[in-house]
Amino acid sequence: MTLTEKLLARAAGKASVQAGDNIWVNADVLMTHDVCGPGTIGVFKREFGKTAKVWDRNRVVIIPDHYIFTADSLSNRNVDILRDFAREQGLPYFYDVIDDPSGAWKFDAAKGNLKRQFGSNYAGVCHAALPAKGHTRPGEVLFGTDSHTCMAGAFNEFATGIGNTDAGFVMGTGKLLIKVPETMRFRLEGKLQPGVMAKDIILHIIGEIGFDGATYRAMQFDGSGIATLSMDDRMTIANMAIEAGGKNGIFPFDARTAEYVNARTGLNGTKQSYEPVEADADQKFVYETVVDLSKLEPTVACHPDPGQRKTAKELSHLKLDRAYVGSCTGGKTSDFVEFARVLRGKKVVIDTFGVPATPDIVRDLQSTRWGHQTIWQILEEAGVRMTENAGCAACLGGPVDTFGRMNQGGLKCISATNRNFPGRMGSKESEVYLASPATVAASALTGRVTDPREYVGN
Amino acid sequence: MSKFTGPVYVVRDNIDTDQIIPAQFLNLVPTIAEEYEKLGSYALNGLPNALYPVRFVKDGAMDTEFPIVIAGRNFGCGSSREHAPIALGAANCECVVAESFARIYFRNCIATGEVYPIECPERLCDIFKTGDLAEVDIDAGTIRHVATGKVYSLKPLGEVRPVIDAGGIFDYARKNGMMPKAA
């Protein structure tokens, strides 16, 4: 069995499963957020009753992160719905925006977008917060009401996005009926060249198989090149399995996984024990390919879908209006480090936005010094508009007052986020080009798509 | 219901969930009745105007005049937002006939019972034009282009059909004794 098959067999209490089997699996964690949480709670109450209790209060994790820093009253109300539910159910893992459990959330637009407006429990973008707060463990099954839930596959677990109705079902029963996907194998070999990042690996792969090339399938990333990738790198890659239509992305377990997970589980009272899965020697794949990491170049996915692959060099004629670094896939500390490495001591020539995924990342960037300056200061001095209000922000457009949203048609934005369908970051007449934080940085310096190796050297 | 007749609305490949229901409207909660209806008024509102000059739901209307959507490959790709099949269902769309569907969208159609996601091996988005009359017969597994009289075969819905017929997974589970009756 492949990693995914093995994990699902275990979660179903079966000795073995094969692709195509419909099986009931036990969920280890169910995650929801402010966009899909209120609807999930609505389904749960409608179907299980107004006084029903969730199946296991330690396993339901609620992370407001999408439409938080907006004056839109319905969005603020949705955070309040989550708070009421968390209080009523006694959920220990609700990462509220404010500290007062009986308060109401209201964003104060008069204070502006840049300065922190959240309390001490707020955790930021759910997919980055889950591992940071100790909710991802090897060998487990994670369901989330968000398509990028697949990011947690970096930790050797089965993680996938589901809708509100399925999530309402999991909330009440702890189980879900799923079909075992076929597995596609991507064997990563070698090591990335300087200036080339994990984002380039996944953009290359999606370009190779197409935007629907992994529909209904698991994407297994293994091979000797994995050892060269940090956990952040693996998260960047697993995050975008969905952009090829994949059900999940998954990595093998190794010492790096253990180090990351062991340092974070338990901190928050989360479960510390786990049992990783290893693939069998006779695992079967529906597709197999080798990716030589040393041959990859800075890669861009052009408007209007993540499969429109070009190298950054090929696009050097393309003029841009905006640059953006942020989101689950592209707003981690390591992403901002590469962003800053290229921008240090220089000035951006187009509007450039930086949105860290979590408050912890804000703290990292504001406390890590390169010489006499913090990374945060280096970015600000380069002209990047950095916000402390960590969250999903303009990655998915959101309400019109969202920081970094493209409210005008005709704009072209290069972005370290994960999706570029029409209207993704705001106006449906705007265009998004996906690239690594290094490529976004180099492009922000020139105002056109730029290979970052011109700045970091070969 | 097994037969739907009416004008079709035709879209191309890779219509993602942002085009089906733009993210700015995700502040609406589908389980709140009036917000459910409002979601319907924004169905397919994210399609670029230049490519889709005829709107799926007219400005100011709550429902669509197109009960059948015809699409190319990978309809519903992108986010896991259940608002997407719900917006179509709330607009009174009955079914989407596509060359292929994205996984989560397909599953959300079944779980909610909002619209029938039906696959057709033929590339109907090259054959039908928005406004053409069509007849979909789910029992017979066909779609007929009324003006030309041509009939195209649909892939069978198989085991997902009774779930949608029942109105979604919870209703299906109750009907079949898998869950206690109403909570």
Side-chain angles (χ1 to χ4, degrees):
Chain A
M1 288 186 283
T2 65
L3 289 173
T4 297
E5 289 159 358
K6 221 148 165 197
L7 253 157
L8 292 178
R10 186 198 283 171
K14 290 177 184 288
S16 74
V17 296
Q18 50 184 348
D21 289 356
N22 285 304
I23 54 169
W24 285 96
V25 296
N26 291 314
D28 290 292
V29 174
L30 172 70
M31 185 281 300
T32 189
H33 51 50
D34 56 293
V35 161
C36 293
T40 297
I41 292 164
V43 169
F44 170 73
K45 296 217 163 199
R46 184 183 73 207
E47 302 295 342
F48 293 96
K50 285 195 165 57
T51 58
K53 290 283 174 194
V54 301
W55 104 98
D56 184 336
R57 62 188 200 94
N58 287 307
R59 294 176 185 273
V60 176
V61 179
I62 303 188
I63 310 182
D65 61 353
H66 275 61
Y67 299 169
I68 309 303
F69 306 106
T70 166
D72 176 65
S73 59
L74 284 182
S75 299
N76 292 173
R77 173 207 64 181
N78 289 345
V79 178
D80 296 338
I81 293 177
L82 300 180
R83 182 177 313 105
D84 290 346
F85 184 71
R87 194 177 42 214
E88 162 203 312
Q89 298 280 330
L91 301 181
Y93 301 117
F94 169 51
Y95 296 93
D96 202 352
V97 184
I98 54 172
D99 285 343
D100 177 3
S102 27
W105 165 240
K106 201 166 184 309
F107 175 73
D108 186 352
K111 288 186 183 157
N113 281 313
L114 302 184
K115 283 286 161 206
R116 169 182 167 147
Q117 282 202 44
F118 52 80
S120 59
N121 296 316
Y122 180 65
V125 181
C126 57
H127 311 299
L130 279 170
K133 301 293 183 189
H135 297 289
T136 55
R137 280 170 295 267
E140 292 198 346
V141 171
L142 165 71
F143 291 117
T145 60
D146 190 290
S147 59
H148 294 113
T149 302
C150 56
M151 179 150 134
F155 299 94
N156 185 243
E157 68 175 321
F158 178 82
T160 196
I162 58 175
N164 297 354
T165 300
D166 280 338
F169 191 90
V170 176
M171 208 173 240
T173 65
K175 293 182 195 308
L176 195 60
L177 179 65
I178 65 169
K179 188 188 261 186
V180 179
E182 294 172 317
T183 296
M184 300 172 83
R185 179 195 217 177
F186 301 87
R187 228 176 73 211
L188 310 184
E189 300 292 345
K191 193 171 182 298
L192 292 172
Q193 299 289 321
V196 186
M197 298 183 67
K199 178 54 69 65
D200 298 307
I201 302 176
I202 190 64
L203 291 178
H204 171 82
I205 288 173
I206 298 168
E208 205 63 26
I209 62 174
F211 57 75
D212 60 354
T215 299
Y216 291 94
R217 292 170 169 176
M219 297 174 78
Q220 179 169 316
F221 304 97
D222 57 19
S224 66
I226 298 297
T228 68
L229 300 175
S230 69
M231 293 315 295
D232 273 11
D233 292 338
R234 298 178 202 185
M235 283 191 261
T236 301
I237 293 169
N239 178 283
M240 291 186 67
I242 183 67
E243 307 314 333
K247 185 165 195 156
N248 67 309
I250 191 160
F251 279 80
F253 172 83
D254 65 9
R256 274 199 171 155
T257 326
E259 188 192 358
Y260 187 105
V261 172
N262 297 348
R264 288 161 181 84
T265 50
L267 287 181
N268 210 359
T270 53
K271 189 175 139 219
Q272 286 175 286
S273 60
Y274 58 84
E275 203 185 324
V277 286
E278 250 181 74
D280 292 330
D282 64 347
Q283 56 183 333
K284 288 191 185 65
F285 304 105
V286 67
Y287 168 98
E288 209 173 341
T289 193
V290 177
V291 179
D292 182 348
L293 301 183
S294 68
K295 299 246 164 68
L296 296 184
E297 292 196 40
T299 301
V300 177
C302 299
H303 171 85
D305 74 68
Q308 303 296 321
R309 182 184 69 188
K310 290 264 196 295
T311 61
K313 267 192 195 144
E314 286 175 294
L315 291 171
S316 59
H317 59 280
L318 189 83
K319 282 189 72 178
L320 298 162
D321 305 290
R322 243 177 216 223
Y324 187 99
V325 167
S327 82
C328 42
T329 189
K332 302 180 287 327
T333 299
S334 56
D335 296 311
F336 281 97
V337 164
E338 291 309 310
F339 189 42
R341 209 192 294 282
V342 176
L343 292 185
R344 190 178 188 181
K346 303 185 183 73
K347 290 273 187 214
V348 300
V349 299
I350 51 178
D351 286 342
T352 303
F353 299 83
V355 188
T358 70
D360 290 348
I361 296 167
V362 173
R363 204 186 47 227
D364 281 351
L365 301 175
Q366 292 184 340
S367 61
T368 307
R369 281 177 184 281
W370 288 354
H372 66 287
Q373 282 183 310
T374 65
I375 295 178
W376 192 276
Q377 287 165 335
I378 287 167
L379 289 169
E380 281 189 332
E381 210 171 277
V384 182
R385 297 185 62 199
M386 293 293 295
T387 178
E388 292 176 346
N389 289 320
C392 299
C395 169
L396 79 162
V400 288
D401 59 346
T402 300
F403 180 71
R405 189 180 193 273
M406 288 201 278
N407 287 328
Q408 255 176 285
L411 296 180
K412 286 187 173 65
C413 178
I414 189 157
S415 178
T417 54
N418 44 30
R419 206 164 266 165
N420 61 342
F421 297 109
R424 172 68 178 179
M425 294 183 73
S427 163
K428 58 191 177 187
E429 326 293 347
S430 62
E431 296 184 2
V432 179
Y433 294 77
L434 304 175
S436 77
T439 302
V440 172
S443 306
L445 292 174
T446 61
R448 52 183 176 78
V449 177
T450 302
D451 187 321
R453 292 174 299 183
E454 292 178 25
Y455 290 91
V456 296
N458 276 312
Chain B
M1 281 269 271
S2 74
K3 279 191 187 171
F4 309 110
T5 306
V8 301
Y9 190 82
V10 182
V11 295
R12 312 297 299 174
D13 291 334
N14 221 20
I15 301 303
D16 81 307
T17 50
D18 277 289
Q19 295 179 80
I20 300 171
I21 181 76
Q24 70 193 95
F25 305 122
L26 300 185
N27 56 1
L28 299 168
V29 174
T31 48
I32 298 173
E34 72 236 36
E35 295 183 23
Y36 170 90
E37 291 303 332
K38 222 166 170 189
L39 279 167
S41 72
Y42 298 124
L44 291 173
N45 186 288
L47 292 170
N49 300 21
L51 295 174
Y52 298 93
V54 176
R55 305 313 290 171
F56 183 64
V57 180
K58 278 191 188 141
D59 281 348
M62 295 304 279
D63 293 326
T64 181
E65 54 207 284
F66 304 99
I68 301 162
V69 170
I70 286 182
R73 265 167 69 188
N74 204 28
F75 186 82
C77 56
S79 116
S80 63
R81 66 186 71 149
E82 203 164 277
H83 310 68
I86 286 175
L88 288 175
N92 281 349
C93 171
E94 303 284 359
C95 64
V96 180
V97 182
E99 216 177 329
S100 65
F101 288 92
R103 181 188 69 83
I104 309 177
Y105 180 84
F106 184 81
R107 171 139 191 157
N108 285 344
C109 288
I110 301 160
T112 58
E114 288 282 349
V115 283
Y116 289 93
I118 309 169
E119 289 187 324
C120 178
E122 297 259 10
R123 199 168 158 75
L124 297 181
C125 65
D126 288 340
I127 298 169
F128 284 78
K129 278 194 273 318
T130 291
D132 289 355
L133 275 185
E135 281 172 14
V136 172
D137 186 332
I138 295 180
D139 286 336
T142 56
I143 179 166
R144 192 166 78 93
H145 190 291
V146 172
T148 63
K150 277 200 176 167
V151 175
Y152 305 89
S153 291
L154 303 172
K155 287 191 193 165
L157 277 166
E159 59 204 3
V160 310
R161 163 124 196 237
V163 184
I164 306 174
D165 282 346
I169 46 163
F170 284 101
D171 292 329
Y172 176 79
R174 291 211 171 85
K175 213 169 150 186
N176 291 280
M178 294 156 71
M179 264 179 80
K181 297 285 176 198

